[in-house]
Amino acid sequence: MAFNIHEEYWDRPLSGNNQDNRIPHGIAVFLSGLFSFLCKVLFRFRVEGKEIVDAFAGKTTGAILVSPHYSYLDVIIMFLSVRPKGWVRLIARDSLFRAGKGFLGMVISSVGAFPIKRGSADRTALKRASRMLKNGEWVGIFPEGTRRGKGSAAPELHGGAALIARMGKAPLIPLGLENVSKVKQKGQRVRFPRITARFGTPVELSSFDFLPKDERMDGCSWYVMREAYALTRGCKPEEINMAELFPDSKDYSQVFAEHPIPAFDPATLPDYSDRE
């Protein structure tokens, strides 16, 4: 038996300033309530810096949430981190939508996820994400492209998040996921540490204009990921060894030490909450 994966949902709004033809919220509300309860009981889940992302609620432009990727639990935690004021549209690899004869695709499409083809410049996915941002929605992305320490593929630092930011004219918000990596480590039993989702300071792509044009998106992605790892580990960004995490990427440590990146103020964005 094959399931309908609701492909039409990929191009429909889940929230934002477009009130027409939205994805039904029934499954999303049920799952967010269920997972929120389980995470609070099992992991004493909490969110820090929630006011940062909440400041974008009701604005004309959305924001991109960027986080490290250790396990599938990351996806659930990112999904819950913006509740109850909004929903995050998660970008997932296309093979997940076919899993279980389409059952998983049906479920994640119903909560606003949409696919991207791994290892290629998927223009369709990029355009979808940019439209969502322009609609005032939040888009969640794990730039490493794969779970760190899982599978055969090595994590790489991709510039896709910055490219989406440019296309959607939206800022990026680093999100740290403290202790998610400790839940299930290779060769060890499952643990139940306290998990904290921690939002950091928003930045915009134009703040990286001092970099050579061909390095701006890579530099932006590098910077936001360093912020996200610092939030995850509860340390200063300068203490994160990005050369060790991403040995094949350029190290911008000295560059950003000499050029501090200013914070983005969501108050500069207009509201759409008074629109009909």
PDB file of all heavy atoms in Angstrom, residues 27 54 66 188:
ATOM      1  N   ILE A  27      -2.584  17.619  11.998  1.00  0.00           N
ATOM      2  CA  ILE A  27      -1.489  16.691  12.290  1.00  0.00           C
ATOM      3  C   ILE A  27      -0.341  17.420  12.974  1.00  0.00           C
ATOM      4  O   ILE A  27       0.266  16.902  13.926  1.00  0.00           O
ATOM      5  CB  ILE A  27      -1.007  15.995  11.002  1.00  0.00           C
ATOM      6  CG1 ILE A  27      -2.108  15.074  10.463  1.00  0.00           C
ATOM      7  CG2 ILE A  27       0.266  15.197  11.261  1.00  0.00           C
ATOM      8  CD1 ILE A  27      -1.753  14.370   9.169  1.00  0.00           C
ATOM      9  N   ASP A  54      10.846  34.840  18.435  1.00  0.00           N
ATOM     10  CA  ASP A  54       9.485  35.357  18.544  1.00  0.00           C
ATOM     11  C   ASP A  54       9.372  36.774  17.992  1.00  0.00           C
ATOM     12  O   ASP A  54       8.287  37.193  17.572  1.00  0.00           O
ATOM     13  CB  ASP A  54       9.024  35.346  20.000  1.00  0.00           C
ATOM     14  CG  ASP A  54       8.608  33.956  20.471  1.00  0.00           C
ATOM     15  OD1 ASP A  54       8.521  33.048  19.619  1.00  0.00           O
ATOM     16  OD2 ASP A  54       8.380  33.782  21.678  1.00  0.00           O
ATOM     17  N   VAL A  66      19.358  27.883  11.600  1.00  0.00           N
ATOM     18  CA  VAL A  66      20.509  27.079  11.192  1.00  0.00           C
ATOM     19  C   VAL A  66      21.068  26.348  12.410  1.00  0.00           C
ATOM     20  O   VAL A  66      21.299  26.959  13.457  1.00  0.00           O
ATOM     21  CB  VAL A  66      21.608  27.974  10.584  1.00  0.00           C
ATOM     22  CG1 VAL A  66      22.833  27.156  10.214  1.00  0.00           C
ATOM     23  CG2 VAL A  66      21.069  28.709   9.360  1.00  0.00           C
ATOM     24  N   GLN A 188      26.966   2.940  22.736  1.00  0.00           N
ATOM     25  CA  GLN A 188      26.471   3.181  24.086  1.00  0.00           C
ATOM     26  C   GLN A 188      24.941   3.092  24.112  1.00  0.00           C
ATOM     27  O   GLN A 188      24.280   3.204  23.084  1.00  0.00           O
ATOM     28  CB  GLN A 188      26.926   4.543  24.594  1.00  0.00           C
ATOM     29  CG  GLN A 188      28.437   4.694  24.697  1.00  0.00           C
ATOM     30  CD  GLN A 188      28.846   6.022  25.309  1.00  0.00           C
ATOM     31  OE1 GLN A 188      28.035   6.746  25.881  1.00  0.00           O
ATOM     32  NE2 GLN A 188      30.124   6.350  25.179  1.00  0.00           N
TER      33      GLN A 188
END
